[in-house]
């Protein structure tokens, strides 16, 4: 089965800019859904709250023009006895994500996520059939974008990132091979590629020598804050801002929020607005993580109550405590986070 295209809209890259085939500049602004990457996904709170109402709220309330869905190789190929046989129910859920999102005139990002399953630090050979299947299924619908690997991490080696190799005795494949795998299916869809350091590092003086080959590639930054490395404009400039300014390739903020459990910074209510102003100064789109309690939205405290997409987190307590062991969804009715700030940012800047 191939998923039928929902429109004739296509996207392409020229220099720093993404265009659609009508000549309009496209800047991605949106939110992530957590519906599809959890182990035992059918029974997760995230999937139970994956509804058309969620998708509609992403557009009408959150001003999104794109929704990110992290998806799992283990969910797609759950049968270890038949590793090449996909789960038809999971494919149907992916199709539903595309159908509902494009019906609301938004685009879809499918992102390969390993942190909830194998926790691989980089892609392996096993990810090749994943992208062969996903790219073949959606190559005729260019409103679906492919984000090849979520947050490469725990190493610093641009050659390994680009071309793969052996690290700590494990063989990895590079971002270039994932891009090539998708293109070999005939798919011309936009491809997103994250940097090192869990998606944050695009340090100009090294990264400029490791740009990937191919067309319609967008580099996606995950610039979570922390008190030690990522708290100031100088930090942002060093880690990725200089590359955004100097390189003739497109970047977006592919995932960001500020919560007590995501790269927490104690003075978040001061630094988070400064960060968003810096993002806008660089004219970057932003996709916020995520429509789940404790992140962009709050819960009433009852996990079984349907989630309210308009009940926002904010920095509204006298103190802001970092909590290392938060597991999302996080059902504290007073959960702190950047929901209100991000909604304001998207309302102002998203077309």
């Amino acid at each position: 089965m191939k998923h039928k295209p929902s429109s004739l809209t296509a996207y392409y890259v020229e220099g720093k800019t993404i265009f659609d085939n009508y000549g309009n500049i496209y800047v991605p602004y949106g939110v992530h859904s957590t519906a599809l990457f959890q182990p035992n996904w059918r029974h997760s709170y995230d999937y139970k709250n994956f509804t058309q109402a969620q998708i509609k709220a992403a557009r009408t309330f959150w001003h999104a023009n794109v929704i990110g869905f992290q998806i799992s190789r283990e969910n797609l190929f759950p049968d270890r006895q038949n590793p090449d046989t996909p789960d038809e129910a999971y494919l149907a859920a992916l199709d539903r994500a595309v159908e509902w999102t494009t019906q609301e005139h938004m685009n879809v990002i499918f992102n390969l996520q390993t942190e909830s399953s194998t926790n691989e630090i980089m892609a392996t050979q096993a990810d090749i059939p994943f992208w062969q299947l996903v790219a073949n299924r959606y190559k005729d619908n260019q409103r679906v974008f492919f984000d090849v690997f979520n947050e490469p991490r725990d190493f610093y080696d641009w050659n390994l990132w680009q071309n793969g190799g052996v690290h700590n005795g494990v063989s990895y494949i590079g971002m270039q091979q994932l891009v090539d795998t998708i293109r070999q299916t005939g798919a011309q869809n936009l491809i997103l590629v994250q940097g090192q350091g869990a998606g944050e590092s695009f340090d100009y003086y090294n990264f400029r020598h490791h740009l990937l080959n191919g067309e319609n590639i967008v580099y996606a930054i995950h610039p979570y804050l922390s008190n030690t490395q990522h708290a100031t404009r100088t930090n942002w400039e060093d880690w990725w801002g200089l590359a955004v300014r100097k390189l003739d390739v497109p970047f977006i903020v592919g995932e960001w929020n500020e919560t007590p459990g995501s790269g927490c910074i104690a003075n978040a209510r001061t630094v988070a607005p400064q960060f968003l102003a810096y993002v806008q100064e660089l004219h970057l789109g932003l996709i916020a993580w995520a429509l789940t309690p404790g992140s962009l939205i709050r819960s009433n405290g009852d996990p079984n109550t349907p989630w309210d997409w308009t009940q926002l987190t904010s920095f509204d307590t006298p103190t802001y405590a970092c909590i290392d062991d938060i597991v999302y969804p996080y059902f504290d009715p007073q959960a702190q986070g950047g929901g209100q700030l991000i909604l304001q940012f998207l309302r102002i800047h998203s077309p």
Side-chain angles (χ1 to χ4, degrees):
M1 172 183 175
K2 294 182 180 179
H3 189 78
K4 294 181 180 179
S6 59
S7 78
L8 297 177
T9 305
Y11 296 87
Y12 64 96
V13 166
E14 285 189 0
K16 291 177 175 287
T17 306
I18 305 168
F19 294 92
D20 68 21
N21 58 321
Y22 302 104
N24 303 306
I25 294 174
Y26 176 68
V27 181
Y29 289 101
V31 292
H32 285 271
S33 167
T34 57
L36 298 173
F37 75 89
Q38 300 283 10
N40 200 22
W41 59 277
R42 293 174 179 83
H43 305 289
S44 69
Y45 289 117
D46 310 77
Y47 187 67
K48 291 175 182 177
N49 286 275
F50 174 47
T51 62
Q52 285 185 282
Q54 181 195 52
I55 303 305
K56 188 176 185 67
R59 179 180 65 82
T60 60
F61 184 78
W62 286 94
H63 303 272
N65 62 30
V66 65
I67 300 181
F69 295 91
Q70 294 176 337
I71 59 178
S72 163
R73 187 183 76 216
E74 285 63 40
N75 290 345
L76 183 59
F77 299 111
D79 186 351
R80 294 188 179 182
Q81 301 302 315
N82 299 284
D84 297 325
T85 303
D87 182 339
E88 292 297 330
Y90 195 66
L91 287 173
L94 300 187
D95 287 349
R96 196 154 53 249
V98 172
E99 180 181 3
W100 289 350
T101 304
T102 56
Q103 281 177 352
E104 291 292 336
H105 307 288
M106 296 180 292
N107 299 323
V108 171
I109 297 171
F110 282 142
N111 168 221
L112 172 57
Q113 160 72 272
T114 65
E115 289 172 75
S116 63
S117 54
T118 62
N119 203 28
E120 293 165 351
I121 65 171
M122 269 273 288
T124 66
Q125 194 66 36
D127 297 317
I128 296 296
F130 172 93
W131 279 119
Q132 287 173 332
L133 189 154
V134 173
N136 266 305
R137 192 173 186 87
Y138 299 106
K139 66 184 179 182
D140 294 328
N141 186 349
Q142 292 202 19
R143 302 199 72 168
V144 179
F145 308 154
F146 306 134
D147 189 340
V148 296
F149 188 84
N150 191 68
E151 297 187 352
R153 55 197 175 273
D154 298 335
F155 68 93
Y156 187 82
D157 182 337
W158 282 107
N159 288 320
L160 179 69
W161 176 88
Q162 182 177 17
N163 297 309
V166 177
H167 178 73
N168 289 340
V170 179
S171 293
Y172 297 102
I173 62 173
M175 300 298 106
Q176 186 66 62
Q177 189 169 352
L178 294 177
V179 169
D180 293 345
T181 296
I182 291 170
R183 291 293 182 243
Q184 286 164 6
T185 68
Q188 297 305 309
N189 311 52
L190 287 187
I191 291 177
L192 279 61
V193 183
Q194 300 172 31
Q196 298 188 65
E200 177 159 11
S201 176
F202 285 102
D203 61 298
Y204 168 70
Y205 293 103
N206 291 297
F207 171 62
R208 61 179 173 163
H209 300 300
H210 296 275
L211 296 172
L212 300 176
N213 296 319
E215 297 181 340
N216 297 341
I217 296 172
V218 178
Y219 295 97
I221 315 159
H222 288 203
Y224 285 99
L225 306 177
S226 75
N227 287 316
T228 55
Q229 289 183 304
H230 316 301
T232 69
R233 181 187 178 95
T234 299
N235 299 150
W236 308 327
E237 194 80 358
D238 290 343
W239 276 79
W240 48 272
L242 191 62
V244 172
R245 294 180 192 278
K246 286 184 169 290
L247 294 174
D248 193 29
V249 295
F251 288 86
I252 64 169
V253 175
E255 181 184 314
W256 185 79
N257 196 349
E258 169 56 33
T259 73
S262 61
C264 177
I265 183 167
N267 57 340
R269 68 175 66 197
T270 299
V271 176
Q274 295 171 351
F275 170 82
L276 289 171
Y278 181 74
V279 168
Q280 182 53 29
E281 177 186 319
L282 296 181
H283 306 292
L284 295 175
L286 181 144
I287 305 165
W289 196 89
L291 288 179
T292 189
S295 188
L296 290 174
I297 61 173
R298 287 174 173 166
S299 162
N300 68 358
D302 179 1
N304 295 305
T305 300
W307 297 350
D308 183 348
W309 316 112
T310 67
Q311 187 67 31
L312 309 183
T313 56
S314 66
F315 305 118
D316 58 4
T317 62
T319 59
Y320 181 65
C322 298
I323 307 171
D324 291 335
D325 58 352
I326 283 181
V327 176
Y328 296 96
Y330 176 60
F331 295 107
D332 183 349
Q334 301 303 314
Q336 300 296 290
Q340 286 190 4
L341 277 176
I342 289 170
L343 177 62
Q344 181 182 18
F345 178 89
L346 295 175
R347 181 188 292 129
I348 292 171
H349 299 299
S350 179

